[in-house]
Amino acid sequence: MASVLAQVVPESVSSEPVSDSSAVAVKVTDPDSVKVEKAPADSVKKGGLLDALFPVESDEMISKGHVYAGATLSLIQANTEDDALNILIGDVYEAYGYTFTVEAFGGYFFRDAMAIGLRAGYSRTWFDVDFSILEDLLDVKEHRKYVSNGFFVQPLLKNYLKVLDSRLFYLFNETSIMVEYSYGISQTDNGEDMKKTRNRGWSIEAGINPGICVMVLNRIAFETSVGLLGLSSSIIDVEENNETKSRVVYNVVNFTINLLALKFSLVTFF
């Protein structure tokens, strides 16, 4: 049956002539049915990356009102082999050291997939080194020991991204500001003189840490993250042999990704 193009005017409108701008164009293909033409596909707005994410359901662990908590342990340990390690200004004959960090964290989801939280922890660094400086010219050999302790608090904002229609896998990013206080002592002995250096300092660091969250049980997840960007500023007071004192101030901008310094955490949701 041939198509008919007509003008449809609401019944509540008076019988006065209707202008072309107020008329609604319809395509009649059947006397018993009227279909309004759809807008062209080009006029439909397309969403960005966030619009492509799957919605968070009310009973998911990352939905509004839930709480998460967990702990992180990390240990970096290093030691030399039997052969001397050649460095730019000398040789390291024997060395052993470690950095140990323990921290607890928690947060509250004030909206779906977004939480505000806090980290707090303790770190300890210790190393013992036998080395020589410019052995061919000066033949200076020293034995050095160093130990330091640090305490830090770290407010954070954590947002999860539901990129798959699944409750087992999420991406996330953690934006944080860390404030740390540390103190340490270094002792150097060359066989004749012994020097002791004490240091105390404050540092503040802002960082961005993206990662992956995998739910291994109903309320327990395994998370790993890596530092992507860090801005830090430190003030350190140094005292040598209880005689001389100095202050060191430095700022660091770090854009590198250290895949050997991944953080692994076990997280519980409530």
Side-chain angles (χ1 to χ4, degrees), residues 148-163:
S148 70
N149 299 275
F151 304 87
F152 64 89
V153 292
Q154 186 176 8
L156 59 92
L157 178 66
K158 192 172 186 179
N159 59 294
Y160 288 78
L161 302 177
K162 189 176 179 181
V163 295

Side-chain angles (χ1 to χ4, degrees), residues 7-109:
Q7 287 185 343
V8 178
V9 181
E11 294 180 359
S12 60
V13 180
S14 63
S15 60
E16 296 179 359
V18 180
S19 63
D20 293 341
S21 59
S22 62
V24 179
V26 298
K27 185 177 182 180
V28 180
T29 57
D30 192 300
D32 298 329
S33 63
V34 176
K35 295 183 179 180
V36 180
E37 292 182 342
K38 296 182 178 180
D42 294 340
S43 64
V44 179
K45 295 182 179 180
K46 297 181 179 180
L49 174 62
L50 296 180
D51 290 338
L53 298 178
F54 289 90
V56 177
E57 300 179 12
S58 59
D59 59 342
E60 284 190 67
M61 291 298 101
I62 63 171
S63 62
K64 181 180 178 180
H66 284 87
V67 177
Y68 74 90
T72 300
L73 298 174
S74 66
L75 175 64
I76 301 175
Q77 184 176 351
N79 63 282
T80 59
E81 301 295 338
D82 295 334
D83 297 333
L85 176 64
N86 181 264
I87 57 178
L88 183 62
I89 59 174
D91 297 308
V92 176
Y93 294 105
E94 186 176 355
Y96 176 78
Y98 66 84
T99 297
F100 172 75
T101 304
V102 58
E103 64 181 52
F105 59 86
Y108 172 75
F109 286 91

